[in-house]
Amino acid sequence: MDATQDPMIRLDRVTKRYADGTVAVGELSMDVPRGALVVLVGPSGCGKTTTMKMVNRLIEPTSGHIYLDAEDVTHGDAVKLRRRMGYVIQQVGLFPHRTILDNVATVPELLGWDSKRRKARALELLELVGLDPGRFAKRYPHQLSGGQRQRVGIARALAADPPVLLMDEPFGAVDPIARDHLQSEFLRLQQEVRKTVLFVTHDIEEAVRLGDLIAVFSQGGQLEQYDTPATILGAPANGFVADFVGSDRGLKRMSVTGIDAADLEHPPVVHLDDELDVAAKRLRADGSRWAVVLDSNNQLHGWIGIDSTSASGLVRDAARRMEAWVPADATLKQAMAEMLQHDAGWVAVLDGDRYLGVLTPTTLYEALRRSIGADAVGIAPAEIVLDTVTTA
Ligand code: ADP
């Protein structure tokens, strides 16, 4: 994303009034930065698809202007315009009697590329979207799963290397597991190709997972909020956005909030070859009940509790292995998941092999609160009283 340049797409007071008088989109203005993945999200019928189709002029705006790379493309040749934009839809619309290879090469063929160049490009793209060309190039669309067909759709949209990709509920028709897969594959792909992507979905989870920016629409193509996923979840602009993102937005926000060095706790650190009595002293000096144990290369080994330090010997004789760790660029959600998976009260944060510190449930919670200062209304865990049920 580069905000210092002209936006790749600019909508300037764009309106679509259908023949029956329905105003699907009213005076919408928004910029899509170059290289950003922008998700249009909102309830059914709020004008997302109309907005997207106005960008490639499958629907002509009633008024307003659309700019592509600073050029006014509101009028002029719509067919030429569409060649600058890959388009992926839910029902991929592959040609049933053409092989996968030929389907992917459709636009290069229209553009008059020679057959050798077309084929090379199509093979390269199949590889890029994770379909082994050796297995899939010669098949026909009906010989593929829904998820695989969707990948072909993406490969086809990218074939002529357009700067912009328009995607309308592209993963809407596949089962949840394939969908999850396609989403993560698509994020990986986008890292590589860095297109400017306009992506329509009604699913806030998908929007949060994929978007660099999210535009939340209400009926009539009204833009209620346009911001990063963390801000949309952490500081919804109004009641409509808050309702739309859901009451579990705090949980959702964990998946878009990274770990900050300031979030980490630093329990005492001891080494495998330290004497236990030395370790005990360190723990007592720190007032801590446990320490992180590193090996001689300063790599994470595990932990030791104060109760295990009373014997004589070395830390290595009493230390417990502990393998719950996340890389420093993980999200709070990944840290939480790691903690739960290992049934651990903490998770180590590593930069490569280097131990940086730990996160605990309390620090995770504080990190989440710190990530959005504006969203400070809530109850701290210390203020929550839990009724404990004891069985006789
Ligand atoms: P979304 O993609 O958010 O579900 P759409 O952009 O498809 O919404 O539709 C926005 C509004 O425009 C809806 O109220 C829909 O019924 C209306 N609409 C869509 N296409 C037409 C059309 N061809 N004629 C009249 N109204 C339409």
Side-chain angles (χ1 to χ4, degrees):
M1 238 188 332
D2 186 348
T4 61
Q5 297 180 342
D6 281 323
M8 181 57 92
I9 301 167
R10 166 164 288 173
L11 303 181
D12 180 23
R13 286 164 296 148
V14 173
T15 294
K16 178 64 192 180
R17 183 191 304 273
Y18 285 109
D20 65 359
T22 307
V23 177
V25 178
E27 299 261 316
L28 171 67
S29 295
M30 67 182 280
D31 283 356
V32 179
R34 202 172 292 269
L37 201 170
V38 170
V39 182
L40 310 184
V41 71
S44 175
C46 67
K48 307 180 294 292
T49 297
T50 302
T51 300
M52 170 166 289
K53 286 187 172 168
M54 285 195 288
V55 171
N56 68 1
R57 306 243 320 275
L58 284 174
I59 293 176
E60 296 287 354
T62 314
S63 62
H65 288 269
I66 296 170
Y67 299 86
L68 177 66
D69 210 359
E71 178 193 343
D72 189 340
V73 293
T74 323
H75 305 293
D77 188 337
V79 175
K80 266 202 190 132
L81 174 67
R82 277 175 218 139
R83 296 216 174 124
R84 294 162 72 185
M85 301 184 183
Y87 188 45
V88 188
I89 53 174
Q90 190 176 115
Q91 304 301 345
V92 204
L94 298 179
F95 301 112
H97 304 301
R98 305 189 77 185
T99 63
I100 297 307
L101 190 79
D102 288 343
N103 264 286
V104 175
T106 305
V107 179
E109 194 177 343
L110 284 173
L111 293 176
W113 295 17
D114 68 55
S115 70
K116 203 169 144 203
R117 185 171 166 219
R118 284 198 313 253
K119 186 174 172 196
R121 178 66 179 158
L123 291 173
E124 178 193 2
L125 278 159
L126 284 177
E127 195 90 62
L128 190 69
V129 298
L131 291 174
D132 174 7
R135 278 179 65 203
F136 293 101
K138 296 226 167 75
R139 290 199 195 175
Y140 288 87
H142 76 270
Q143 297 169 310
L144 266 57
S145 72
Q148 289 164 344
R149 279 200 289 273
Q150 222 52 38
R151 285 166 201 253
V152 176
I154 293 170
R156 186 177 60 178
L158 289 170
D161 205 17
V164 170
L165 213 49
L166 305 180
M167 307 181 80
D168 193 350
E169 300 261 6
F171 311 140
V174 294
D175 65 78
I177 293 173
R179 183 174 201 180
D180 182 71
H181 237 82
L182 283 166
Q183 288 170 345
S184 52
E185 286 277 293
F186 182 64
L187 281 175
R188 179 193 56 78
L189 185 68
Q190 169 65 355
Q191 292 284 333
E192 235 170 284
V193 299
R194 285 274 166 220
K195 299 293 177 189
T196 303
V197 183
L198 206 54
F199 190 111
V200 164
T201 181
H202 62 276
D203 177 1
I204 183 68
E205 309 266 355
E206 182 164 78
V208 166
R209 178 156 185 206
L210 298 181
D212 296 312
L213 293 169
I214 297 179
V216 183
F217 281 59
S218 63
Q219 293 305 320
Q222 294 301 310
L223 190 54
E224 297 290 340
Q225 191 170 9
Y226 184 31
D227 215 313
T228 59
T231 304
I232 300 261
L233 294 172
N238 54 39
F240 177 86
V241 178
D243 272 356
F244 186 74
V245 298
S247 54
D248 61 343
R249 62 193 168 84
L251 279 177
K252 291 186 182 116
R253 204 165 82 218
M254 291 188 85
S255 64
V256 291
T257 307
I259 298 167
D260 191 288
D263 299 332
L264 301 181
E265 263 186 69
H266 300 282
V269 171
V270 297
H271 286 84
L272 282 173
D273 290 328
D274 290 345
E275 298 283 347
L276 279 170
D277 57 344
V278 176
K281 264 188 219 137
R282 195 159 317 150
L283 278 164
R284 275 199 299 277
D286 204 86
S288 177
R289 299 203 52 77
W290 62 284
V292 170
V293 177
L294 302 183
D295 66 16
S296 52
N297 296 320
N298 275 328
Q299 292 183 9
L300 181 70
H301 174 87
W303 64 285
I304 188 165
I306 195 155
D307 298 339
S308 314
T309 57
S310 50
S312 61
L314 296 178
V315 165
R316 71 166 64 249
D317 304 325
R320 312 264 292 269
R321 274 307 276 190
M322 163 56 173
E323 285 162 345
W325 65 274
V326 287
D329 62 358
T331 62
L332 298 184
K333 182 179 173 186
Q334 287 167 321
M336 184 71 170
E338 185 75 1
M339 229 183 270
L340 292 173
Q341 189 184 335
H342 291 267
D343 195 18
W346 56 280
V347 56
V349 179
L350 308 185
D351 178 12
D353 284 339
R354 200 160 58 92
Y355 163 81
L356 297 180
V358 308
L359 285 169
T360 63
T362 310
T363 45
L364 267 177
Y365 178 80
E366 279 164 3
L368 196 55
R369 284 172 70 90
R370 187 166 28 235
S371 70
I372 295 288
D375 189 35
V377 205
I379 304 171
E383 294 164 28
I384 301 172
V385 181
L386 289 178
D387 283 330
T388 19
V389 182
T390 40
T391 45

